[in-house]
Amino acid sequence: MNNRNLPRIAFVGIGLMGLPMAGRLVKAGYPLVAWNRTREKALPLEPLGAEVASTLDEAVKSADMVITMLEAGPVVESVVQSMSSVLREGTLLIDMSSTKQSEAREIRQMLEPRRVAFLDAPVSGGVVGAEAGTLAIMVGGTEKDFQRARPVFEVMGRPTLVGPTGSGQIAKLCNQLIVGGTVAIVAEAMLLAQAGGADPEAMRRAIRGGFAESRILELHGQRMLDRNFKPGGQIKSQAKDHANIMAAAQDAHLQLPLTALVSDLFSGLLTDHAEADQAAALLALEKLNEGIRLGTRPDQF
């Protein structure tokens, strides 16, 4: 693809998700400069045609768009504060991290005096979706900025403008509420089948195609049967997102009793299994139900 008319992108945060997302943009022809606090993590992008910057300022100073994909809201705020003095007027900053709604609004306010536009655009789909370019991208901001970013988003997945600044983060929290709750329910179903004398693998086959069918039953149900807890979407991410869900509910004067239980389940796994896949929700239930274990396969981390 001829990239002379494509916006110059600075991609900040090259982790499990950032690496395949940035890689897709480079392969699509976008001129891209990558920066990561640990520089070595960004080096796999060089053979694809990306430039790896040694400093944050170097990465963003000539960018038309800056994409951040970082661990949490406070990290995003710190990085944006660090780069704000070198961002050019008219730059569009797109934060694709998962943060609080209030943090997204604070970042927009931080950038307004420099006339830098802002979108919050968290994603769902995990590493598999990032690699395949099938991420669900939930965007908060103005229609004008959304349309400017749409071609970039479409390289990475399916974007939807869901409202003003901060709305992308609320949509992501709704997504995580459903995902986390369903992972926990699938784990409970697996353990009930085991404890009740049914074959959990056969039970899963039997209910697929009915109303219980879901991607989570398909993918994470199989992970639980395999006891494969190698990281995709990690426990620490679900725990963080559920803490943010409960904060958003409090701000909205809502009580979410089921989600509160799921939040406690994931936070309880942080000490021993923070890096494990979210399917490790099964381990919390097994700990609660001493003597009941799904299958006989060894755990994989």
Side-chain angles (χ1 to χ4, degrees):
M1 181 184 294
N2 188 330
N3 63 15
R4 286 179 296 177
N5 297 318
L6 294 178
R8 293 166 294 182
I9 296 174
F11 204 109
V12 176
I14 309 299
L16 282 174
M17 293 290 290
L19 181 60
M21 290 165 70
R24 287 193 64 85
L25 291 171
V26 177
K27 290 175 184 177
Y30 283 92
L32 185 142
V33 181
W35 181 84
N36 195 70
R37 196 176 302 276
T38 305
R39 189 174 185 271
E40 288 71 23
K41 292 184 178 180
L43 292 179
L45 292 169
E46 281 189 328
L48 302 179
E51 178 185 343
V52 176
S54 297
T55 67
L56 179 59
D57 285 1
E58 178 189 336
V60 305
K61 64 183 180 182
S62 299
D64 300 306
M65 295 184 186
V66 176
I67 297 174
T68 51
M69 189 63 177
L70 298 163
E71 183 177 2
V75 180
V76 179
E77 289 184 311
S78 174
V79 169
V80 172
Q81 183 68 55
S82 296
M83 72 170 77
S84 61
S85 63
V86 298
L87 291 174
R88 298 181 300 118
E89 182 178 324
T91 301
L92 174 59
L93 193 148
I94 305 167
D95 179 36
M96 303 189 78
S97 320
S98 294
T99 73
K100 295 178 181 177
Q101 181 183 41
S102 59
E103 290 166 335
R105 290 171 173 169
E106 289 165 5
I107 291 168
R108 183 198 65 189
Q109 292 170 359
M110 188 189 308
L111 294 170
E112 278 179 345
R114 303 200 64 82
R115 297 185 181 179
V116 172
F118 177 70
L119 295 171
D120 59 291
V123 303
S124 178
V127 175
V128 172
E131 291 170 345
T134 58
L135 294 170
I137 306 173
M138 299 147 274
V139 188
T142 67
E143 177 71 28
K144 178 182 176 182
D145 292 333
F146 175 71
Q147 293 301 334
R148 179 180 169 189
R150 182 193 282 273
V152 174
F153 286 143
E154 288 179 342
V155 174
M156 296 180 283
R158 177 179 55 83
T160 304
L161 180 65
V162 294
T165 301
S167 298
Q169 297 300 341
I170 288 292
K172 173 61 185 287
L173 294 181
C174 292
N175 179 88
Q176 294 304 89
L177 183 157
I178 294 169
V179 170
T182 307
V183 168
I185 287 295
V186 168
E188 289 192 1
M190 290 290 184
L191 216 57
L192 177 60
Q194 182 79 53
D199 178 346
E201 195 159 0
M203 177 278 294
R204 175 174 165 274
R205 288 199 308 271
I207 66 175
R208 291 194 62 192
F211 278 176
E213 176 64 291
S214 70
R215 287 285 287 166
I216 291 170
L217 179 62
E218 176 189 353
L219 298 178
H220 291 290
Q222 188 62 55
R223 273 182 166 268
M224 292 173 194
L225 289 168
D226 295 337
R227 303 194 68 88
N228 176 11
F229 307 124
K230 295 177 181 178
Q234 294 176 304
I235 289 292
K236 65 180 181 181
S237 298
Q238 276 291 359
K240 178 199 73 174
D241 289 340
H242 273 73
N244 288 346
I245 291 167
M246 299 313 297
Q250 184 175 9
D251 290 345
H253 307 293
L254 282 178
Q255 293 188 44
L256 302 176
L258 296 180
T259 303
L261 292 173
V262 175
S263 180
D264 288 344
L265 182 146
F266 283 115
S267 63
L269 285 163
L270 285 173
T271 300
D272 296 324
H273 301 297
E275 306 292 328
D277 186 84
Q278 57 198 333
L282 175 69
L283 299 177
L285 293 171
E286 290 177 340
K287 185 176 181 179
L288 187 64
N289 296 277
E290 189 175 353
I292 305 296
R293 185 183 190 275
L294 181 64
T296 59
R297 297 171 184 173
D299 293 341
Q300 303 174 57
F301 292 101

